Amino acid sequence: MRSVPADPTTRERILDAAVLRFARDGFGASVRSIATDAGVSPALVIHHFGSKDELHAECDEAVLAEIRKAKNESIDELASGQSILHRFASADENAPLLAYVLRSLQDGGPVGRSFIEQMIEDAVGYTKHGIEAGLIKPSRDEAARARYLVLSALGTLMLEITLNPPEDPSDISGMVRGFLATTYLPMIELYTEGFFTTRRMLDEYLLYVPDPPQDTATEPASE
């Protein structure tokens, strides 16, 4: 869940309740249900945020900020030699964030696309942080790599939930635990040890990119 003060303000309480409700039920969740979760009236929700769309936009910003914070903290911990096992153990706490991202992916449309594009842009930023910390290898195209990693992770999440839906769709923590149980090991292994034993494919591709072969059928006839 988002990091909120021990004694949150009414506005913070509404925002936190909205993130969790959107994560559970999608963005069709009503203002009334969010107000009930936050222990306030629907009118007070509108008073603080103006409309449900504006509340949704602020939830997007809050979730993205929390993801950036968690990524950068993990990088700093790894770079300094600290254990990050507590991150695995606290996965339940971050389950609503992952579910919120999934809902944004499922929702699509301009708002959903904008959210995912911002996730990719943020990934470029914290990947740069990892490179500067000596934890991540630089790429020939940082933006392209960040896009691939984000979309790969989200695609895996979407397919896993689609192919193996939880018995209780409202059990966000259970859904995330199931996903991470099958994903963590191969993901960390690939990131750490790679996949190929040779760089031949990369070398051949790099030779191909600047001077792609022409289709012989389109080449002019020789004299």
Side-chain angles (χ1 to χ4, degrees):
M1 182 63 75
R2 294 184 319 103
S3 297
V4 294
D7 184 22
T9 65
T10 299
R11 198 175 195 283
E12 290 166 340
R13 197 166 71 248
I14 293 170
L15 192 61
D16 203 46
V19 168
L20 184 55
R21 179 54 60 185
F22 286 146
R24 285 176 173 166
D25 298 342
F27 298 110
S30 67
V31 170
R32 183 173 297 280
S33 66
I34 294 168
T36 299
D37 293 344
V40 300
S41 68
L44 195 57
V45 174
I46 299 303
H47 169 74
H48 280 287
F49 294 93
S51 69
K52 195 176 93 168
D53 286 344
E54 291 180 28
L55 174 59
H56 181 178
E58 292 211 30
C59 286
D60 281 359
E61 292 179 10
V63 169
L64 288 167
E66 194 66 21
I67 292 172
R68 285 194 301 272
K69 177 173 176 286
K71 294 289 187 181
N72 284 314
E73 287 178 350
S74 294
I75 288 168
D76 288 337
E77 289 170 4
L78 273 172
S80 64
Q82 298 180 53
S83 171
I84 63 165
L85 289 178
H86 68 95
R87 299 260 171 206
F88 303 149
S90 64
D92 280 5
E93 297 176 13
N94 294 320
L97 298 179
L98 192 55
Y100 187 98
V101 172
L102 175 63
R103 293 298 187 187
S104 296
L105 188 62
Q106 291 173 324
D107 192 56
V111 175
R113 285 197 297 272
S114 176
F115 181 86
I116 300 304
E117 289 298 328
Q118 187 59 57
M119 279 192 72
I120 294 169
E121 184 177 329
D122 289 347
V124 174
Y126 56 71
T127 299
K128 180 181 179 183
H129 179 191
I131 293 169
E132 292 170 347
L135 185 66
I136 296 174
K137 295 179 179 179
S139 169
R140 293 168 182 81
D141 189 334
E142 298 293 349
R145 180 172 66 173
R147 172 173 289 275
Y148 173 78
L149 291 176
V150 170
L151 295 183
S152 294
L154 293 181
T156 302
L157 172 62
M158 176 73 85
L159 282 172
E160 182 68 28
I161 301 306
T162 301
L163 296 175
N164 300 294
E167 294 183 6
D168 180 5
S170 67
D171 181 14
I172 298 174
S173 294
M175 175 183 71
V176 171
R177 280 196 303 272
F179 170 70
L180 295 180
T182 59
T183 305
Y184 260 147
L185 177 59
M187 177 185 68
I188 296 172
E189 183 182 62
L190 276 170
Y191 284 178
T192 305
E193 299 177 342
F195 188 74
F196 293 119
T197 61
T198 172
R199 55 173 290 137
R200 176 184 168 188
M201 184 178 292
L202 175 61
D203 288 339
E204 290 183 353
Y205 180 73
L206 291 175
L207 288 173
Y208 166 86
V209 172
D211 188 20
Q214 291 183 327
D215 184 346
T216 56
T218 62
E219 292 179 354
S222 62
E223 295 180 1

